[in-house]
Structures are given as C-alpha cells and as structure tokens.
C-alpha cells in the first residue's frame, strides 16, 4: 500500500529491511547498542562488523533517542539506530517513548540530508509492544512529521516482516490518512 502526502510517499511493504535501497534504514536496537536478535541481528549480520565498530563510538542510546552510522555492506548508506520501549503494561510512558523513537529517527535523517528512509516495526518483537497499538503510533508520528516538515523527505517506507504486521500498519494508514 502506498499514499502520497504533499511530496512524500508513505509506503508499506512486506519484506526484509536489510535488502532495502532507501538511503537510510532504521534499526530497532537496544540501549547498549550491543546488537542482538531480530531485526538488529539481521542488520549487523548483513551490514558487517563496521556498523558495530561505529556503534561503539556512542555511549549507548537511551529509549526514545537515535544515533546514526554508515551502512557498512548494506545497500542503504546509513543505519539509524533507535531504541524503542520495552512494553510492560502501557503505564510506563511506552507510547511516548515509541513516538519519540520514530520522531528522533526522522529528525536525525533530515539533519543528515537523508530523503528516503525505511523503518521496521519498532518494539513489536522482543520488546512486546502490542502490534495494533504500535502501528497506530508509528503511522501517526510519521504523518505528523511529514506534515510539519514539508518537502524534507521523499519516501518513508515501513518494511513489515509478517502478514499480520502489514495488515496492522495498512489499517492504521487507511484510518489516519483519511
Ligand atoms: N526486516 C524487517 N523486519 C524484521 C526483520 C527484518 N530482517 N527481522 C525481524 N523483523 P525486534 P524490538 C521484525 O525483536 O521488539 C533485539 O534483540 C520483527 O518481526 O527485532 O524493538 C535488539 O537488540 C518485529 O515485527 O525488535 C533489542 O534487544 C520487528 O522487526 C530488541 O531485540 C521488531 O522486532 C528490540 O526489540
């Protein structure tokens, strides 16, 4: 599914984010930037050791913030590493932190002159964020950002790993973009 808002295309696809050709891909990292499983493991495996070398130059990254490295062997020239919240019961600022993880990543992209960016579904794997809720926050944050930063980005893509994730994000986009 794809929509255009101003000059920005928002696209939802099912796939593997390590294969994306956007200028930047976003990693769902942990606060130590130590690598791990899920999309984090896949990005470091495909991108090679250079990405971890660059991650070590940061003193970690708190939840809701983002840092940038090059893309190593990936097609994407940059990786933006952000840290989503670990979901507990919804009362520990999880929604605010998830929104902030998306916004920090978008801000960092624009600061670095990046026009095309791909996101995974942050926090909805190992960190346990309920998928429908997370999809709503992700889509709303991107739509708000694109509206208040007109022309800054030409493509924001979500690369979803399962049919259920693609469906949740498609439902959120249909609802929030209308
Ligand atoms: N491309 C796109 N999406 C993927 C890929 C891929 N190659 N691989 C997995 N996903 P997760 P989190 C999806 O657990 O919940 C790590 O160990 C996956 O199906 O990767 O933010 C970190 O080091 C799910 O929908 O990230 C942290 O410790 C989504 O990506 C912790 O997990 C996010 O799942 C972060 O947990």
């Amino acid at each position: 599914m794809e929509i255009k808002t101003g000059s920005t295309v928002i696209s939802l696809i099912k796939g593997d984010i390590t294969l994306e050709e956007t200028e930047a891909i976003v990693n769902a990292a942990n606060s130590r930037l130590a690598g791990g499983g899920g999309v984090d493991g896949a990005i470091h495996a495909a991108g090679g050791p250079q990405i971890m070398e660059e991650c070590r130059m940061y003193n970690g990254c708190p939840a809701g913030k983002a840092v940038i490295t090059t893309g190593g062997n990936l097609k994407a020239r940059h990786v933006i590493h952000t840290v989503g919240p670990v979901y507990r019961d919804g009362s520990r600022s999880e929604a605010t932190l998830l929104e902030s993880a998306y916004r920090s990543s978008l801000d960092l992209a624009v600061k670095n002159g990046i026009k095309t960016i791909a996101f995974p579904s942050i926090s909805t794997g190992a960190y346990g964020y309920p998928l429908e809720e997370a999809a709503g926050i992700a889509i709303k944050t991107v739509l708000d950002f694109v509206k208040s930063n007109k022309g800054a980005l030409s493509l924001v893509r979500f690369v979803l790993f399962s049919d259920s994730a693609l469906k949740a994000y498609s439902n959120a986009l249909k609802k929030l973009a209308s």
Side-chain angles (χ1 to χ4, degrees):
M1 175 181 181
E2 196 170 288
I3 67 153
K4 196 160 187 190
T5 160
S7 58
T8 309
V9 171
I10 297 174
S11 139
L12 311 179
I13 62 167
K14 187 180 153 188
D16 175 355
I17 201 166
T18 64
L19 305 174
E20 267 305 309
E21 296 185 16
T22 46
E23 290 164 72
I25 64 171
V26 176
N27 182 18
N30 55 62
S31 58
R32 290 175 299 126
L33 300 177
V39 71
D40 194 4
I43 288 173
H44 282 287
Q50 193 192 329
I51 299 177
M52 184 53 76
E53 251 167 60
E54 291 178 50
C55 281
R56 283 196 202 101
M57 303 200 298
Y58 293 102
N59 192 15
C61 176
K65 300 278 194 268
V67 302
I68 190 165
T69 66
T70 61
N73 303 328
L74 297 169
K75 285 181 182 147
R77 289 178 49 200
H78 305 274
V79 177
I80 291 174
H81 305 261
T82 193
V83 181
V86 176
Y87 190 89
R88 294 208 168 82
D89 58 6
S91 75
R92 324 253 174 143
S93 304
E94 290 98 330
T96 310
L97 288 168
L98 186 61
E99 177 190 332
S100 176
Y102 281 100
R103 201 163 6 84
S104 301
S105 302
L106 293 161
D107 273 333
L108 195 52
V110 170
K111 267 193 207 127
N112 283 275
I114 290 161
K115 295 229 152 231
T116 61
I117 183 169
F119 282 96
S121 176
I122 298 164
S123 280
T124 62
Y127 281 180
Y129 211 114
L131 183 58
E132 271 75 24
E133 244 175 277
I137 292 167
I139 295 287
K140 181 173 189 307
T141 306
V142 166
L143 288 171
D144 288 349
F145 185 91
V146 162
K147 270 178 213 144
S148 49
N149 295 267
K150 288 204 167 63
L153 294 163
S154 58
L155 172 66
V156 181
R157 170 167 288 155
F158 285 91
V159 182
L160 289 328
F161 212 47
S162 64
D163 288 328
S164 58
L166 180 61
K167 190 164 175 218
Y169 280 72
S170 302
N171 287 342
L173 185 57
K174 276 177 212 147
K175 189 168 146 203
L176 294 168
S178 59

